[in-house]
Amino acid sequence: MFDTAVSSEQAFHDLYRDHRPWLEQWLRRKMGNGWDAADLSQDAFIRVLTSSQCIVDLQEPRAYLKTIGKRLLINFHKRRSLEQAYLDALAQLPEACVPSPEQRWLILETLQALDELLDGLPPVVRRAFLLSQLEGLGYREIAERLEVSERSVKRYMAQAYEHCLLVELC
């Protein structure tokens, strides 16, 4: 057991030493920003460290790291897009209604958590769920908006609730 832990720790150290500069440069080319690339590179290695993947036997370390990097890039761009949409919505509010910086941060964190929670749902299911939860629409109103049957909306909602429950349990 001890030898496995030592070899795993050494394998991680070697992976980090040998491939972090490469991954960071690859991310920098994709992002055009060294600071964000460095952050995502560190995030990638944290994911490797907390992963159940045995890195001792890793045959293609760069392919593995590139896959993680691509996922992190997608999440990064989704987060930025969500943040920009929120800032655009804030710009439309009268000044008296604009939340404080602390409130804005909390709202943005909540939006990002909700986005992560609903990630993986088909767009129509996600939209039905958001119309129900954020706009308070009933199934009939959602069906009219989405131009589907009320029965479909019921299926979408069941799928969304099941998804949220499974994500929370994992």
Side-chain angles (χ1 to χ4, degrees):
M1 180 74 170
F2 180 71
D3 288 340
T4 304
V6 170
S7 63
S8 182
E9 186 177 317
Q10 185 61 47
F12 178 78
H13 174 74
D14 293 345
L15 181 74
Y16 184 83
R17 181 195 64 227
D18 296 343
H19 299 288
R20 187 206 49 81
W22 169 83
L23 180 61
E24 192 171 316
Q25 183 175 1
W26 181 82
L27 288 165
R28 187 179 304 118
R29 282 194 313 269
K30 295 287 182 190
M31 303 177 81
N33 178 325
W35 296 104
D36 289 334
D39 285 346
L40 287 187
S41 174
Q42 292 303 315
D43 288 348
F45 282 98
I46 288 171
R47 292 224 178 152
V48 169
L49 196 57
T50 59
S51 161
S52 60
Q53 170 75 32
C54 179
I55 59 173
V56 173
D57 301 323
L58 202 56
Q59 297 296 315
E60 298 287 337
R62 288 193 175 180
Y64 179 65
L65 291 170
K66 193 173 185 180
T67 299
I68 294 171
K70 284 179 181 178
R71 291 178 184 155
L72 289 170
L73 273 171
I74 289 167
N75 290 341
F76 177 84
H77 288 299
K78 280 177 64 176
R79 215 172 29 250
R80 284 279 165 98
S81 177
L82 183 64
E83 185 176 341
Q84 189 57 53
Y86 175 63
L87 292 174
D88 292 346
L90 281 179
Q92 303 299 316
L93 290 176
E95 196 167 321
C97 297
V98 173
S100 70
E102 295 84 9
Q103 290 171 320
R104 286 196 307 240
W105 184 82
L106 286 172
I107 292 168
L108 192 54
E109 287 291 310
T110 303
L111 286 172
Q112 289 172 350
L114 181 61
D115 184 57
E116 287 177 27
L117 179 67
L118 299 179
D119 191 39
L121 283 176
V124 69
V125 175
R126 184 181 183 128
R127 185 147 185 247
F129 183 78
L130 291 173
L131 287 170
S132 168
Q133 300 302 305
L134 298 180
E135 294 189 29
L137 299 182
Y139 288 5
R140 179 172 292 144
E141 296 164 307
I142 295 169
E144 289 171 6
R145 273 241 195 128
L146 298 179
E147 299 177 352
V148 297
S149 70
E150 204 170 324
R151 184 180 177 121
S152 292
V153 172
K154 288 178 184 177
R155 270 196 334 269
Y156 298 158
M157 294 301 291
Q159 185 179 350
Y161 284 126
E162 181 181 7
H163 176 81
C164 291
L165 191 61
L166 289 174
V167 169
E168 286 297 312
L169 292 176
C170 292

